[in-house]
Amino acid sequence: MKIIDSIQRMAMLSKILKKESKTIGLVPTMGYLHDGHLSLIKTAKQHTDVAVVSIFVNPIQFSPKEDLDKYPRDLKRDEEMARLAGADVLFNPSAVDMYPEGYETYVDVERLSASLCGPHRPGHFRGVATVVVKLFGIVKPDIAYFGQKDAQQSVIIKKMVEDLNMDIDIKVLPTVREKDGLAMSSRNIYLSEKERKDALCLIEAISKAEAAVKSGERSASKIIKMMEGIIKEKPTAKIDYIDAVDTKSLRPVDTISKETLIALAVFVGKTRLVDNAILSP
Ligand code: PAF
């Protein structure tokens, strides 16, 4: 596995690969890899000739109150994990190279960024869309891989690729979970033992929502209320939001009459966890 920290060298390698008619798969990450990332890397390796994993803790997607400084980082561990998963290239640019003095271009996927996590994390999706466009420009992937855990991010990136006429296939792979159902996330490391137990309320609420829809419940507000009840039982958990929305437009729905995204963000202690599921009537 090649490790590249220079934007120029990464762009040059991509140019050479294109000339050789090699296909490139990109897995954008912020590092501190877990099995969710590894499943994306393994799939990229199966689908494309060259699997590139980028590791970049993107400062512009964190608000001043968020955890940029303490976001977990361990490049040595990530290198080993990426190599074992089959990555061919690890691209690890620096923040000053990505956003040099005088940088002023940003990408805003306006309406889709305004719901779910958007109002709770101002500027977050603008930061995500901007860095993803930059990574696409440098790595020039044929296919890019994202996880369903960040459902809104995936919908936004698909729309951005469509709106900007980018010839890149966006693949969204299922959420990878711990044995007990907790969605894998680099931020799970922040949880204390007690919080780790309470964090199961997210998957518990989702499972009960799925069961309710299976037994015929169609009212989004009733399902959300039931989920709120489950989460409020946990002393360390505080709901940021729970919403039922259309899977593509992300507009709120009142009735579950077709596939609906149920998405939630919950603070467990100080750690903000997100999870979601597609409810099928
Ligand atoms: O999902 C993430 O880890 C990040 O938002 C991404 C897509 C790598 C952009 O920084």
Side-chain angles (χ1 to χ4, degrees):
M1 184 179 76
K2 278 194 173 69
I3 299 174
I4 300 180
D5 59 11
S6 141
I7 292 178
Q8 286 70 24
R9 282 208 298 126
M10 183 68 240
M12 183 64 79
L13 175 63
S14 297
K15 212 168 165 183
I16 294 168
L17 293 170
K18 294 272 151 190
K19 265 203 186 130
E20 292 171 351
S21 302
K22 296 255 168 62
T23 54
I24 301 175
L26 172 64
V27 180
T29 81
M30 297 207 300
Y32 213 72
L33 303 180
H34 52 66
D35 284 355
H37 297 118
L38 301 188
S39 101
L40 303 180
I41 298 171
K42 286 177 191 161
T43 309
K45 185 67 187 164
Q46 281 165 14
H47 290 174
T48 58
D49 297 320
V50 179
V52 178
V53 52
S54 64
I55 295 188
F56 179 61
V57 182
N58 177 32
I60 67 165
Q61 70 186 70
F62 289 78
S63 78
K65 281 192 273 162
E66 289 181 339
D67 55 344
L68 172 63
D69 289 339
K70 72 176 182 73
Y71 196 83
R73 293 163 170 89
D74 189 340
L75 193 59
K76 276 279 154 273
R77 171 183 170 276
D78 286 347
E79 275 175 31
E80 193 51 26
M81 288 174 79
R83 181 177 289 116
L84 288 174
D88 300 294
V89 180
L90 190 156
F91 176 46
N92 175 221
S94 71
V96 286
D97 285 350
M98 289 292 272
Y99 304 113
E101 180 85 26
Y103 185 88
E104 57 176 303
T105 304
Y106 297 88
V107 180
D108 226 329
V109 182
E110 295 178 352
R111 200 193 52 74
L112 288 174
S113 300
S115 60
L116 301 175
C117 286
H120 302 264
R121 302 190 69 189
H124 171 69
F125 290 114
R126 179 184 194 248
V128 170
T130 301
V131 80
V132 170
V133 161
K134 284 176 68 72
L135 291 169
F136 286 177
I138 298 162
V139 177
K140 298 180 185 61
D142 298 277
I143 312 180
Y145 297 84
F146 296 88
Q148 173 64 21
K149 184 178 78 76
D150 298 302
Q152 184 175 17
Q153 169 171 285
S154 301
V155 172
I156 287 173
I157 289 166
K158 278 187 177 168
K159 179 75 172 130
M160 176 186 83
V161 162
E162 181 190 329
D163 284 356
L164 298 181
N165 311 98
M166 302 173 104
D167 189 14
I168 300 173
D169 193 4
I170 303 299
K171 294 263 188 264
V172 182
L173 301 192
T175 302
V176 177
R177 297 181 180 280
E178 302 284 356
K179 275 203 185 80
D180 60 8
L182 181 68
M184 291 213 179
S185 162
S186 306
R187 288 188 167 99
N188 290 349
I189 191 186
Y190 298 149
L191 299 169
S192 70
E193 210 175 305
K194 165 87 181 100
E195 290 165 354
R196 173 66 184 74
K197 280 189 190 136
D198 284 359
L200 291 177
C201 66
L202 281 88
I203 187 63
E204 201 188 316
I206 285 175
S207 307
K208 294 265 163 65
E210 286 172 331
V213 171
K214 242 194 199 135
S215 352
E217 182 58 68
R218 294 290 176 265
S219 158
S221 62
K222 279 193 187 153
I223 289 171
I224 291 171
K225 216 172 185 159
M226 185 260 303
M227 294 172 78
E228 284 171 352
I230 291 167
I231 291 164
K232 282 180 182 160
E233 277 171 24
K234 304 291 173 194
T236 65
K238 190 169 161 289
I239 298 166
D240 204 20
Y241 72 81
I242 306 178
D243 280 331
V245 296
D246 179 83
T247 54
K248 284 203 180 69
S249 72
L250 303 184
R251 288 186 205 281
V253 300
D254 296 329
T255 307
I256 319 280
S257 54
K258 57 177 180 144
E259 283 202 338
T260 299
L261 176 69
I262 186 92
L264 68 165
V266 176
F267 281 98
V268 180
K270 287 198 172 118
T271 308
R272 187 174 184 274
L273 301 176
V274 293
D275 205 343
N276 67 79
I278 308 280
L279 299 177
S280 311

